[in-house]
Each structure stands twice: as C-alpha cells, then as structure tokens.
Amino acid sequence: MTNRIERLNELDSYGVLNHKQDEELNDLAKIASLALNVPIAQITFVHDEFTFVKANIDVVSTESIPGRVKRRESFCHHSIKNPKETMIVNDASKDSRFINNPFVNSDPHIRFYAGKPLTTPAGNPLGTICVIDNKPRNLSLGEKQLLDILSKKIMAYLNNKRKLLNQENKIIDDALRLQNLTDRLPVGIFQLDKSNQNNLRFKFLNKTMKEMCPSVNTNKSSESIEILFSSIYPDDKNRFINHLNESFDNLSFSNIQFRIKKGNNCAWFAMKGNVERRTDGSKTFYASIRNIDNQIEYEKTLEQIAFDISHVLRRPVSSLSGLVNLVDTKEKLNKKELLEYIGLVKTVSTEMESYTRKLNDIYQKKKEIITNHNKSYT
C-alpha cells in the first residue's frame, strides 16, 4: 500500500497534469493500440479526485473520453491499487465494480480493459497505460509483456523529462536568487548587447539602475540604450557615447566618470566594465555604475585644504620666518628686544591657532555634508 500524500507529491513532481499535448506519449499509446489491435489506448495519471487522460487513441467511439474523468468512475483508479500487476477486466458488464459505470453503459461501452500501472523508482503508481475494447476479450502472455515494456518506456521518458524539469526549475530559482542579490547591491549592474547591425539593447538591468537613472525601466529587459543616454547630463553625453563606442570597437576595459541628471541637479557616477565578442560576431558589455558624489566632494575638499594651507597660512608662516631671520642677524639681544620678539612670536602663534581652528570647523561641516549626501543614496 503506497502512501497517498507521498504518491500525489511525486505525481506533481513530474509536471504532467497540464493541458499540453505530448507527442511522445501519444506515439506510445498508438503503438499499444496497433500492437494489441484495440480501438482505444490511453496513458492516464490518477490524482486525488480526477483521473487525467494524457494520451488518448480512440478510433471507433463517437464521443471521445474527456481529458479528465472522476476518479471513482475511472478503471485506472482500481488498477493502481496493485502497482506491480496488470489489471485485466474481460467483460466490464459482468464485473461488479463496473456494472453501473457510465463508460460501460454508454459511449464508448467499455467491455474489455487492461491497465499496467506506471510506477516510479520509489514504487509510487502515477497512473496507467491501458487498452480498451467495446467487446469482451483477453490478453495473451506476449501482449501482457508488451504492456510491461511500454510502461517501462513511458516511465523512462517521464523520468528523463522530470530531470530536465528539475534543471529548468533550478535555473529559474538560481536566476531569481541572482536577481534578488543584484537588486540589493548599492551599485547599478547591467548587460548591454550590441548586434551585428550595431543596435544596442539592455539584456539585464538590476533594480539599482532604476534608482540611478530615472529613464531606465527595469520591467523591460531589452530597452534601448537611449533610456540611459537621456539621463546623462548634456555636457557629458557625447563624451560618454564616444567612450562606449571605443570600448565596443576595441573590446577594451571601460572606466569613465560622468554626470546623471537628478531633477534640476546632477550627480556624479563612475562606470566600469568589459566587452566580450560572441561567436556570432555580436558583442556584450558587462558593467557596473556607482555614485561617486562623495569621492568628488572628498577630492574637492583636499584641493581646498591645499589651497588654504598655501594661502591662508602663508602670512603667519612668513611672519615667523621673518622674525627668525631678524633674530639671526642680531649678534646679541637685550632683554627688551627679546621680550618684543617673544611677543611677536606669540601674536603669530595665536593667529595660526585661530586659522587652524577655523579650518577645522570648515572641514567638519564639509564632512557632515558628505555624510548626509551619502545617506541620501543608500
């Protein structure tokens, strides 16, 4: 006795309960019909409430058996109770299990039925391959062996198909995980394809690209490059396009800084990436884009520090240097002159300390501005 839940779970894992036609199963059912000389041959899968007819070869019935039937009206429901045996009903009109069955008392007027369960490697019967006739008959030993062979062929096909299905599902799951991962990165990531006709199309965009470039629509994976070009600050656009074309032409590493419009303002970004040539001659650009406003602001701050040191502190430093030179020319200093020079040194020192404090206040404010700016992009 098989476990009901386990059997149903394994049946679902094969992905056969859909409305798509399967030519391979149809062909195997047709072989059964021709080889056993019966008008009807089916491949069925028994679920909880319904039996699904996946392949149906019916050459005489005026009304085909529907794509699914109620399980309690299904002959195959009885067949799967003994997964290792072929169930044979010689005359259904005389079998207590089927006397009141609608498929016995009306079209297709089933009399003969033989069903071999389709059993998984785990021992769970999924359904049957069965042959049906509207007149009583029996199966020879050779005909039973043929049903056995066909059932094994069907399961071999279904097992291979399930492996492919599992691989496809794994690829889809991996792609979703990768998408979720890239969407959480603080940098924009994209794949840009260039056809042999020089058409540029985005093949992949992560969510961060939408946040960086308002014109980018991440719901359309094959958008034109124009959605990025339209976001670039006008003064940087031609330089960016020329750089991108050069990377594609030379298959060279890309490294460029440019600005993207942010309402009435703009923000600095850096793009890095590589170009690969495909076997068909087309090219693919894999790249990342990140906001570098903080880096630009930091570089400006360093330049300001250098300017301040060079200009603001120049006067007190020059004053100290002059005092040193003046003292150096004196062979001997009296007490009055010494006190005077000390006073001058104190004045210069006080002035330098005042300048230093002002610089520190300025840079502290700049640091706060940079920190607040970075938070706005996280």
Side-chain angles (χ1 to χ4, degrees):
M1 180 68 69
T2 58
N3 181 283
R4 170 179 164 274
I5 300 299
E6 180 184 319
R7 189 190 76 82
L8 292 176
N9 286 338
E10 190 163 22
L11 174 58
D12 290 338
S13 75
Y14 280 86
V16 292
L17 301 182
N18 54 47
H19 300 294
K20 294 180 180 179
Q21 288 292 315
D22 191 310
E23 291 301 321
E24 185 74 18
L25 294 182
N26 280 335
D27 288 345
L28 290 170
K30 192 168 185 178
I31 290 173
S33 174
L34 294 172
L36 301 181
N37 192 27
V38 292
I40 301 173
Q42 297 177 338
I43 294 174
T44 67
F45 298 100
V46 183
H47 206 261
D48 208 18
E49 296 182 6
F50 294 94
T51 293
F52 292 82
V53 181
K54 188 66 176 179
N56 183 30
I57 304 301
D58 189 343
V59 297
V60 295
S61 296
T62 56
E63 239 180 274
S64 294
I65 295 175
R68 70 175 189 178
V69 299
K70 293 178 181 178
R71 176 170 174 159
R72 65 176 180 271
E73 297 175 354
S74 165
F75 280 61
C76 301
H77 157 61
H78 295 275
S79 179
I80 66 170
K81 292 179 180 179
N82 296 297
K84 297 181 180 181
E85 301 293 329
T86 299
M87 187 182 89
I88 299 175
V89 179
N90 302 114
D91 188 347
S93 65
K94 297 179 181 179
D95 191 310
S96 59
R97 294 171 295 177
F98 307 111
I99 289 176
N100 297 317
N101 190 289
F103 298 111
V104 174
N105 297 320
S106 60
D107 200 75
H109 299 285
I110 296 175
R111 292 298 179 266
F112 170 75
Y113 170 92
K116 174 64 180 180
L118 304 173
T119 307
T120 70
N124 290 311
L126 305 181
T128 71
I129 176 171
C130 61
V131 289
I132 298 170
D133 204 340
N134 53 12
K135 57 186 178 182
R137 59 171 290 178
N138 205 339
L139 280 186
S140 67
L141 178 61
E143 289 173 330
K144 288 180 63 176
Q145 289 176 341
L146 177 63
L147 274 185
D148 289 341
I149 292 171
L150 287 175
S151 70
K152 291 176 182 177
K153 290 291 183 183
I154 293 169
M155 283 312 304
Y157 169 71
L158 293 178
N159 287 328
N160 287 332
K161 193 172 181 180
R162 181 168 67 165
K163 287 179 182 178
L164 292 175
L165 179 64
N166 290 339
Q167 289 174 355
E168 289 175 2
N169 290 336
K170 185 177 185 305
I171 290 172
I172 293 172
D173 290 342
D174 289 345
L176 288 174
R177 280 196 291 270
L178 180 60
Q179 180 74 60
N180 290 333
L181 175 62
T182 56
D183 282 346
R184 286 168 172 76
L185 292 175
V187 297
I189 297 175
F190 66 88
Q191 176 185 335
L192 182 65
D193 287 356
K194 186 174 186 179
S195 69
N196 292 324
Q197 291 73 40
N198 295 323
N199 295 320
L200 291 172
R201 292 275 175 185
F202 282 116
K203 193 69 174 178
F204 173 83
L205 296 162
N206 75 334
K207 185 179 178 181
T208 312
M209 283 291 293
K210 173 68 175 178
E211 298 167 356
M212 291 181 174
C213 309
S215 298
V216 172
N217 184 350
T218 53
N219 294 325
K220 297 180 180 179
S221 61
S222 60
E223 282 281 12
S224 166
I225 188 64
E226 288 298 327
I227 59 178
L228 175 58
F229 288 164
S230 64
S231 299
I232 297 176
Y233 192 68
D235 291 351
D236 298 341
K237 185 174 180 179
N238 287 336
R239 179 171 60 87
F240 180 91
I241 293 174
N242 291 336
H243 176 84
L244 186 62
N245 287 334
E246 182 180 344
S247 294
F248 270 111
D249 291 342
N250 301 325
L251 302 179
S252 59
F253 177 74
S254 172
N255 186 2
I256 186 174
Q257 296 180 359
F258 60 97
R259 288 165 290 182
I260 288 179
K261 293 179 291 186
K262 293 282 185 178
N264 295 326
N265 300 314
C266 63
W268 277 98
F269 288 81
M271 181 180 75
K272 293 184 178 182
N274 283 297
V275 179
E276 291 183 358
R277 188 192 300 275
R278 295 183 176 274
T279 55
D280 63 356
S282 63
K283 299 173 185 177
T284 297
F285 182 49
Y286 302 98
S288 65
I289 294 180
R290 64 184 179 90
N291 182 280
I292 58 167
D293 262 356
N294 58 337
Q295 177 182 327
I296 298 296
E297 187 66 27
Y298 177 72
E299 291 173 355
K300 289 180 179 179
T301 301
L302 289 180
E303 291 176 0
Q304 186 65 44
I305 291 174
F307 176 84
D308 291 341
I309 291 175
S310 175
H311 294 80
V312 177
L313 297 181
R314 179 178 295 174
R315 191 171 68 83
V317 170
S318 297
S319 298
L320 277 177
S321 179
L323 285 172
V324 170
N325 290 333
L326 185 60
V327 170
D328 193 47
T329 59
K330 293 281 187 176
E331 293 183 0
K332 187 175 182 181
L333 294 175
N334 58 41
K335 184 176 181 180
K336 181 180 178 182
E337 290 175 326
L338 182 60
L339 291 174
E340 183 180 350
Y341 287 141
I342 291 174
L344 290 172
V345 170
K346 286 182 178 180
T347 299
V348 173
S349 298
T350 301
E351 188 177 2
M352 290 185 68
E353 184 179 0
S354 175
Y355 283 140
T356 302
R357 287 178 178 174
K358 288 180 181 179
L359 284 175
N360 185 64
D361 290 342
I362 291 172
Y363 300 140
Q364 186 62 36
K365 289 180 180 178
K366 286 185 176 180
K367 181 179 179 181
E368 292 174 0
I369 291 173
I370 293 174
T371 301
N372 292 332
H373 181 274
N374 291 342
K375 287 181 180 179
S376 68
Y377 283 94
T378 58

